[in-house]
Amino acid sequence: MSDRVVPGPVQDSCGIREAVCIHTKKIYDSCRDKDCIEDLRVYPTRSSQAVIDRALSVRSGRAELLHAYIDVEPANYNRGFYSVDIRYYYRITAEAFLGGGRPAEICGLAVFDKRVLLFGSESSAKIFSSRRGPEEAGPACGRSSLPEAVVEAVDPIVLSLKLMDPCDCGPCVCPPQGGCCAENELTEIPACISECFDCELAFDNGCRRLYVTLGQFSLVRLERDSQLLIPMYDYCMPTRECTSSDEEKDDDPSEIFRQIRFPVGEFFPPSTMPGMEHREDPAGGEG
């Protein structure tokens, strides 16, 4: 049996010079995902809605991820596992054609909800820190035993845009993501999201509607504070796909989006000096 490693210099043929004890976030579980979000309702600004109502067609523009709201709850049916609910807020910009002249720029908000199930272990310890201010003092100021969820995502790819007229009193023909019933409409958004637009957003049911299909890359992980004795070898890249706690749907995602490689370079900085051509892929070359 080999001797136990302790903090301090070590002799190692792989180039590890020292073992150090650090306080850090230990990743208990993580996943990566490529979501093809089809026919997502776009809520345009008031000025953009006036353009959409007269537009003959729209041309795909770009999508910007404004914010991701994250909520973590224990999974009652599986101890140590947690459901991570994520709500993405996007700003969608595109060009609308009115028949003659130059196209007009339109802008709006799109919202996408996602849930994943990850292992986060169990802990009953409460964490206290001297960095907490006196205004936070009290019997309940210790942080709870829930793990911390972290979501990393890049701006999504706009795969398609389309215009649709609102539903009449007859059978509904709206896309599943948008829906036509009043209870499915988005009516309230955080103030920080509203401030990202130059004027008020239109949530009216009777206006012409805009739908977008997005391709979203993301990483999701659960972390806990830990004291670890570790060497650093390379970046830790998830190798398995996200597992949803909801029943899987039979929707066929865009074939084009399936062929796009996962953008590892967007999440991790280069690990070699400038000018060095060889660089190992943390994902193991998997697309």
Side-chain angles (χ1 to χ4, degrees):
M1 181 176 179
S2 60
D3 295 336
R4 182 175 179 179
V5 179
V6 296
V10 297
Q11 299 295 327
D12 189 273
S13 60
C14 297
I16 302 173
R17 300 298 179 88
E18 185 178 6
V20 294
C21 184
I22 62 172
H23 179 89
T24 186
K25 298 285 187 180
K26 178 181 177 181
I27 300 175
Y28 279 80
D29 199 3
S30 61
C31 63
R32 65 180 183 183
D33 224 345
K34 290 170 57 176
D35 290 298
C36 184
I37 313 165
E38 298 185 26
D39 297 331
L40 191 64
R41 173 78 182 273
V42 177
Y43 297 91
T45 61
R46 290 290 180 185
S47 58
S48 295
Q49 184 66 66
V51 175
I52 292 173
D53 289 338
R54 297 181 289 113
L56 301 177
S57 63
V58 290
R59 181 167 62 188
S60 296
R62 65 185 184 90
E64 178 186 358
L65 178 59
L66 299 175
H67 181 66
Y69 170 80
I70 308 169
D71 183 55
V72 180
E73 293 292 340
N76 297 327
Y77 51 85
N78 203 341
R79 292 185 61 182
F81 283 81
Y82 299 82
S83 62
V84 182
D85 291 289
I86 311 165
R87 169 165 282 194
Y88 294 102
Y89 293 92
Y90 303 106
R91 176 166 52 197
I92 309 296
T93 56
E95 293 182 333
F97 294 89
L98 304 176
R102 300 181 60 182
E105 184 177 271
I106 55 176
C107 180
L109 171 71
V111 177
F112 171 56
D113 293 319
K114 176 184 179 66
R115 172 176 291 180
V116 300
L117 186 67
L118 293 173
F119 176 74
S121 189
E122 295 180 282
S123 174
S124 58
K126 291 186 177 180
I127 302 173
F128 299 86
S129 172
S130 61
R131 287 185 291 181
R132 303 180 71 89
E135 68 279 357
E136 299 176 286
C141 65
R143 281 163 43 189
S144 67
S145 60
L146 288 175
E148 180 181 352
V150 178
V151 176
E152 295 186 55
V154 295
D155 288 341
I157 301 171
V158 177
L159 301 176
S160 69
L161 278 169
K162 64 181 179 181
L163 294 171
M164 290 191 66
D165 293 326
C167 292
D168 298 324
C169 296
C172 178
V173 294
C174 283
Q177 289 280 4
C180 65
C181 301
E183 59 268 23
N184 292 331
E185 296 296 328
L186 180 69
T187 56
E188 295 184 2
I189 59 173
C192 60
I193 301 298
S194 299
E195 294 172 356
C196 295
F197 299 88
D198 55 6
C199 65
E200 182 185 4
L201 295 169
F203 298 105
D204 306 298
N205 294 328
C207 300
R208 202 175 187 193
R209 296 180 178 180
L210 177 66
Y211 293 91
V212 65
T213 296
L214 300 176
Q216 176 69 71
F217 295 100
S218 62
L219 301 178
V220 185
R221 63 180 182 267
L222 285 183
E223 303 175 341
R224 287 187 183 275
D225 286 341
S226 302
Q227 295 184 55
L228 302 177
L229 182 64
I230 57 170
M232 198 284 287
Y233 291 95
D234 207 340
Y235 294 114
C236 181
M237 184 68 183
T239 57
R240 68 178 182 86
E241 304 296 328
C242 290
T243 301
S244 173
S245 59
D246 295 332
E247 183 180 355
E248 293 185 1
K249 299 181 179 180
D250 295 327
D251 295 339
D252 183 22
S254 171
E255 289 296 329
I256 298 177
F257 185 60
R258 287 183 180 180
Q259 302 303 319
I260 300 176
R261 290 176 56 87
F262 197 94
V264 176
E266 296 291 335
F267 294 92
F268 300 104
S271 59
T272 58
M273 294 292 291
M276 297 180 65
E277 298 179 357
H278 177 69
R279 176 173 179 242
E280 293 184 356
D281 185 358
E286 180 182 351

